[in-house]
Amino acid sequence: MAVTETDRLPAAVAAVERTIAAFDEACSRFRDDSELIAVGHSAGAPVPASALLRKALRAAVRAAELTDGDVDPTLGSALVALGYDQDFERVLAGGPRPAGRPLKLSSVPGWRAIRIDDQAGTVTVPAGVSLDLGATAKALAADDAARAAQAAAGGGVLVSLGGDLSTAGEPPAAGWRVRVTDDHSSGVDAPGQWIMLHSGGLATSSTVVRRWQAGGETVHHVLDPATGRPSGGGWRTVSVAAASCLDANIASTAAIVRGPRAIKWLESLGLPSRLVTDDGRVAHLAGWAPDGDDLPSHRPENLVA
């Protein structure tokens, strides 16, 4: 993370750490004691859920609504079938995974199966449904963490959670200088682009980083809900800027799934975007300059159904 009030960095870091810990307890698919796992074990009965989990699930349902189901939180079982059944570092350390049992289309139940009751404080999903909030919870956590850090430290704040970036407060005069690549952990010499981010959020979805061997084939974690299989739309990486990191992540994930159809959709929304094809060709949309520079301003309402 980065702050403009450097003497307040410890307070900002503490606020971010508290936010991340709360999201992990509520939304992790890899903690036996998380609320999300309890929902999956409920056999279709309503389960008490914290305000944070309900908020995260509402964000996931909204993502599905905005993308006509191309971003779907009910893909947990499909990911498990592909071998993504534990923290990703452990998946890689375990070597090639056996082929999971192929999922039929009907095995992906769809986001409409989720019931969130704020009055009762409960969540209900059908028996056998496994939720995965990977497409939205981390971005939502980045937005919440940035706001919490800014409240604690004042000034301007930039928070990056695994490549999902969110800003709060007044940025530096020139903006936040950010390197955009296939992998957020790459060095500055990796293929990519420098941009200046002034507000809102930036998210990058990629099929390059989380890849593993399963059943003799290379698979990745961005699934197409229509098939329950890794998407093959032709984009290896999509970066999007929006009014929030959550909206940016919704758009970047959906673009990977939609393939060529994503271009017209992103342009219609006015979302500055950088798309990289499987063979490394780059497309820039909606004001994202090919040579890098300040990203154009984005309206708070620019991601709508």
Side-chain angles (χ1 to χ4, degrees):
M1 69 174 299
V3 297
T4 57
E5 304 297 325
T6 55
D7 61 323
R8 297 290 294 161
L9 180 60
V13 170
V16 170
E17 289 177 342
R18 288 192 296 270
T19 302
I20 294 173
F23 269 87
D24 193 51
E25 292 176 3
C27 304
S28 175
R29 190 164 62 88
F30 308 120
R31 286 181 56 156
D32 292 338
D33 62 344
S34 77
E35 291 188 75
L36 193 72
I37 293 300
V39 171
H41 291 165
S42 65
V47 177
S50 67
L52 180 56
L53 179 60
R54 299 196 309 274
K55 175 183 177 179
L57 285 171
R58 283 196 300 271
V61 169
R62 174 175 171 267
E65 292 172 342
L66 290 171
T67 62
D68 296 324
D70 285 335
V71 179
D72 191 320
T74 64
L75 287 167
S77 295
L79 286 165
V80 170
L82 288 170
Y84 194 1
D85 54 358
Q86 55 188 321
D87 188 79
F88 189 67
E89 285 71 21
R90 294 183 178 179
V91 171
L92 289 182
R97 314 288 287 178
R101 187 175 183 179
L103 290 180
K104 297 180 180 179
L105 182 59
S106 60
S107 297
V108 180
W111 55 274
R112 292 182 179 86
I114 300 171
R115 296 289 179 266
I116 304 167
D117 189 333
D118 287 319
Q119 184 171 1
T122 61
V123 170
T124 308
V125 299
V129 171
S130 177
L131 299 175
D132 177 79
L133 303 184
T136 52
K138 181 157 66 74
L140 179 63
D143 286 329
D144 281 8
R147 286 190 289 268
Q150 199 278 330
V157 171
L158 170 72
V159 171
S160 175
L161 301 183
D164 284 347
L165 279 66
S166 185
T167 67
E170 189 69 22
W176 300 104
R177 191 168 186 247
V178 175
R179 181 74 175 171
V180 179
T181 63
D182 289 333
D183 182 353
H184 72 276
S185 64
S186 298
V188 296
D189 55 345
Q193 184 179 17
W194 289 103
I195 57 94
M196 301 301 292
L197 185 65
H198 291 268
S199 64
L202 176 73
T204 295
S205 296
S206 180
T207 66
V208 174
V209 180
R210 294 191 178 184
R211 300 176 75 89
W212 67 99
Q213 294 294 313
E217 64 174 318
T218 300
V219 296
H220 60 76
H221 74 295
V222 183
L223 305 189
D224 183 347
T227 64
R229 298 284 300 169
S231 61
W235 306 120
R236 76 183 190 200
T237 301
V238 176
S239 300
V240 177
S244 68
C245 184
L246 176 60
D247 281 0
N249 191 283
I250 292 170
S252 63
T253 303
I256 292 280
V257 174
R258 292 186 175 197
R261 295 185 296 121
I263 292 179
K264 184 176 180 180
W265 180 62
L266 292 169
E267 287 182 330
S268 71
L269 294 172
L271 292 172
S273 307
R274 179 180 185 269
L275 301 88
V276 184
T277 64
D278 290 335
D279 60 2
R281 290 174 291 124
V282 181
H284 303 88
L285 308 178
W288 187 306
D291 56 354
D293 206 343
D294 292 356
L295 293 186
S297 299
H298 30 262
R299 307 181 306 277
E301 69 278 10
N302 63 358
L303 186 59
V304 296

